[in-house]
Amino acid sequence: MTDQANISPAAGLRAALRTLVRPVAVVTAAHAGQRYAMAATAFCEVSMDPPSMLVCINRANATHSAVAAGADLCLNLLAADQADISQRCGGGVAAEERFAVGDWRIAAEGPPRLADACASIVLRPASIVDHATHAVVIGEVVDVWQRGLSSPLGFHDGSYLFPLAHAAINLVAQSARLGEAGAMQDGYLMLDVMRAFYWFDEGLQSALRARGWEAVSRSQSMTFANIALGVRRPADLARNLGITRQGVSKMLQEMVERDWIVIEPDPTDKRASIVAFSEKSRQLRADALEILGKIDAALGERIGSKALDALRTTLARDWGPPPEIPEPAAQ
């Protein structure tokens, strides 16, 4: 068990919540001729009599001003293929531009509704409780639209979870271990590379925990790798990791609280910031590199040093840009 004594309650809570799979929604409102949209994962049902839900909204978010003025809000539950909508509404995009993607229905009165969401729930605020940085908005349900059976978009460990793809990747990784991969092992290099990544990552994480390091999530591990490769701006990290700027900001803050990284002003742009390794992370990185070296050595003993060298040489080569696959000819 990892020693949690030196972790602050806030950092511990963030780490605990990252283990949950959460649904993703876009909360919308309209007030005084202005439309608002924000991505959210902090919402849940409160009562069925009367039907009501709560949504947590940061009071610094523009959407809060509309709700505080009495505007209804719409909780649009996103489908698995709508991560781009969540990203647009997660920050960094102008208010009206957030509605440029998706089938939005704009009524003369009431909040914008996403017609192709899994479901859209209109809430009329009944109670607003301010606590610290956020407002807890409890709203009574006044209308519900449901598209039908569709897979929801999930958020886990700082990144979007695409249910079908995630299940397929895990199936490939587990089936290889159980010897039940069947046809999935035949001719698909991408799946072989995916299995190899899981194999290395599980060995690395297990060894780090054995040395007493706090749990490092895969997203955090990939963040370390990006920083080591020179990707240091939060916006670039968010793009490479496939998560929102808000999501990467929360993850970076957790890493700062654990004293793994520091966030500094960008010397080339006073409006931006960059991420750098902290002194504490020096030992973490040293341990990780030592462990990876031992994993490499163990793999060489299993498959032979020549095969390992050939594999490393092949993967290190410049493969050029991905090929353009032509569409099949019309029948």
Side-chain angles (χ1 to χ4, degrees):
M1 180 179 293
T2 302
D3 181 13
Q4 301 288 315
N6 296 323
I7 300 180
S8 70
L13 177 60
R14 287 193 185 96
L17 293 178
R18 288 171 71 89
T19 66
L20 300 178
V21 177
R22 295 179 169 214
V24 184
V26 168
V27 178
T28 59
H31 178 67
Q34 178 68 52
R35 295 181 294 186
Y36 303 88
M38 56 167 275
T41 58
F43 57 88
C44 68
E45 67 280 7
V46 175
S47 169
M48 293 299 166
D49 187 19
S52 51
M53 297 190 69
L54 71 78
V55 182
C56 296
I57 301 177
N58 192 315
R59 286 188 288 154
N61 190 287
T63 306
H64 175 264
S65 62
V67 176
D72 290 351
L73 55 86
C74 185
L75 193 66
N76 299 279
L77 306 180
L78 298 185
D81 59 353
Q82 293 177 323
D84 55 340
I85 297 176
S86 176
Q87 289 173 328
R88 293 184 73 86
C89 298
V93 176
E96 280 303 310
E97 292 180 12
R98 299 185 181 197
F99 297 97
V101 175
D103 184 8
W104 291 98
R105 303 298 167 87
I106 310 298
E109 296 182 359
R113 177 174 67 87
L114 185 60
D116 50 355
C118 288
S120 296
I121 305 169
V122 177
L123 304 174
R124 182 153 296 154
S127 176
I128 300 177
V129 179
D130 289 339
H131 180 75
T133 58
H134 283 63
V136 181
V137 181
I138 299 176
E140 294 187 1
V141 177
V142 297
D143 218 337
V144 178
W145 288 269
Q146 188 169 356
R147 188 174 68 170
L149 295 178
S150 55
S151 297
L153 178 65
F155 198 72
H156 173 254
D157 194 22
S159 60
Y160 294 108
L161 177 66
F162 304 95
L164 183 59
H166 186 79
I169 290 170
N170 275 304
L171 176 62
V172 170
Q174 296 298 324
S175 62
R177 180 182 303 166
L178 298 175
E180 299 174 355
M184 287 188 293
Q185 286 184 321
D186 300 332
Y188 296 100
L189 178 60
M190 178 181 175
L191 300 184
D192 291 331
V193 173
M194 198 72 73
R195 281 192 293 267
F197 169 78
Y198 270 72
W199 186 84
F200 271 98
D201 190 63
E202 289 177 5
L204 173 62
Q205 300 292 349
S206 176
L208 286 174
R209 287 193 297 269
R211 296 191 180 196
W213 285 104
E214 304 163 15
V216 180
S217 70
R218 285 200 170 103
S219 295
Q220 291 168 341
S221 180
M222 292 303 295
T223 299
F224 277 126
N226 272 266
I227 297 172
L229 291 172
V231 181
R232 304 181 64 189
R233 288 190 173 185
D236 295 334
L237 289 169
R239 183 181 61 253
N240 285 4
L241 297 175
I243 62 180
T244 64
R245 293 188 182 186
Q246 183 182 30
V248 84
S249 177
K250 290 181 179 179
M251 181 178 65
L252 293 177
Q253 184 58 42
E254 179 184 343
M255 296 174 74
V256 168
E257 291 176 359
R258 292 189 177 191
D259 198 18
W260 289 345
I261 62 170
V262 294
I263 299 178
E264 306 169 336
D266 187 339
T268 64
D269 185 351
K270 294 182 179 180
R271 298 170 299 174
S273 60
I274 57 174
V275 181
F277 292 120
S278 69
E279 283 299 317
K280 179 181 176 181
S281 71
R282 185 187 303 275
Q283 185 58 51
L284 172 61
R285 288 180 286 133
D287 282 357
L289 291 174
E290 180 188 347
I291 291 166
L292 287 175
K294 291 181 176 180
I295 293 176
D296 279 2
L299 180 60
E301 292 177 359
R302 295 183 184 184
I303 68 174
S305 59
K306 290 185 178 180
L308 180 62
D309 290 341
L311 175 63
R312 183 180 286 112
T313 299
T314 300
L315 293 176
R317 290 177 58 185
D318 182 2
W319 295 359
E324 295 185 6
I325 307 301
E327 295 183 6
Q331 299 294 327

